[in-house]
């Protein structure tokens, strides 16, 4: 009996972990929009203030190349990207520290949560901030071809060339 209860508890725990990846914890006022990985560039536009905005889930597969860009006119609006398969609550990318674009080759199948937010450290003036998110699938990286062999150099010209050539 004890084994059966432990098995049920373990199953419930693993099911809740799988469910947690599919249903992220939302902040008060947030609305979830589920996306599909686009075949071409996708633009998402919205408005955020105090967490009252849309958040997006984006399923990604191993080997996909993607660039996600965030733009806004406000200096207090940002985007955070979370990997829902990871247990910790730390963002894998944030425009407040990492710049406006995230370009990556996905290493494992997972689901990302894209969360635009209005900074709590901002002065609370205005109605919030408009934003735009571009999701751009990238072509697979092509192997680089080696540069063509250069002609042999004279003994005088070996080494780095000086800024001003020698007079002869």
């Amino acid at each position: 009996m004890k084994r059966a209860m432990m098995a049920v508890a373990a199953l419930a725990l693993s099911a809740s972990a799988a469910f947690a990846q599919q249903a992220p914890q939302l902040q008060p006022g947030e609305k979830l929009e589920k996306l599909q990985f686009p075949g071409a560039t996708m633009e998402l536009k919205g408005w955020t203030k105090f967490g009252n905005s849309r958040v997006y889930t984006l399923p990604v597969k191993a080997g996909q190349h993607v660039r996600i860009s965030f733009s806004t006119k406000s200096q207090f609006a940002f985007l955070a990207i979370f990997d829902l398969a990871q247990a910790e609550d730390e963002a894998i990318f944030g425009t407040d520290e990492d710049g406006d674009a995230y370009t990556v080759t996905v290493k494992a199948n997972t689901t990302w949560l894209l969360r635009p937010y209005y900074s709590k450290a901002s002065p609370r003036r205005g109605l919030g901030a408009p934003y735009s998110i571009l999701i751009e699938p990238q072509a697979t990286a092509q192997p680089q071809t080696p540069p063509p062999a250069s002609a042999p150099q004279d003994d005088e010209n070996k080494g780095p060339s000086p800024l001003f050539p020698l007079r002869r």
Side-chain angles (χ1 to χ4, degrees):
M1 180 72 170
K2 196 173 195 178
R3 278 188 179 164
M5 292 194 58
M6 290 188 62
V8 168
L11 183 61
L13 200 61
S14 66
S16 67
F19 181 75
Q21 180 176 354
Q22 299 305 320
Q25 187 73 8
L26 299 180
Q27 304 294 323
E30 288 182 332
K31 294 166 193 73
L32 180 65
E33 186 174 324
K34 295 180 180 182
L35 306 173
Q36 295 299 319
F37 193 81
T41 300
M42 174 193 299
E43 183 176 21
L44 307 169
K45 290 186 173 207
W47 190 273
T48 184
K49 181 177 182 178
F50 268 152
N52 292 326
S53 69
R54 286 181 285 181
V55 294
Y56 309 92
T57 56
L58 178 68
V60 292
K61 296 185 192 269
Q64 287 178 321
H65 304 282
V66 65
R67 176 181 173 89
I68 299 177
S69 306
F70 181 76
S71 63
T72 182
K73 292 180 180 180
S74 172
Q75 64 186 24
F76 302 113
F78 303 100
L79 173 70
I81 301 174
F82 297 89
D83 184 346
L84 295 178
Q86 294 180 1
E88 62 269 358
D89 275 346
E90 190 159 328
I92 58 172
F93 175 81
T95 57
D96 58 338
E97 294 180 0
D98 302 321
D100 293 336
Y102 180 52
T103 304
V104 67
T105 300
V106 180
K107 293 186 174 154
N109 295 349
T110 190
T111 301
W112 290 342
L113 176 70
L114 307 168
R115 176 174 275 148
Y117 67 95
Y118 195 71
S119 173
K120 291 183 179 179
S122 67
R124 300 288 191 240
R125 297 186 190 123
L127 298 174
Y131 64 84
S132 174
I133 301 171
L134 281 179
I135 302 172
E136 303 170 274
Q138 304 287 298
T140 57
Q142 299 296 325
Q144 291 185 328
T145 57
S150 59
Q153 297 179 344
D154 297 340
D155 286 340
E156 295 175 8
N157 295 334
K158 285 189 179 177
S161 62
L163 182 60
F164 300 101
L166 299 172
R167 291 186 183 190
R168 293 182 187 212

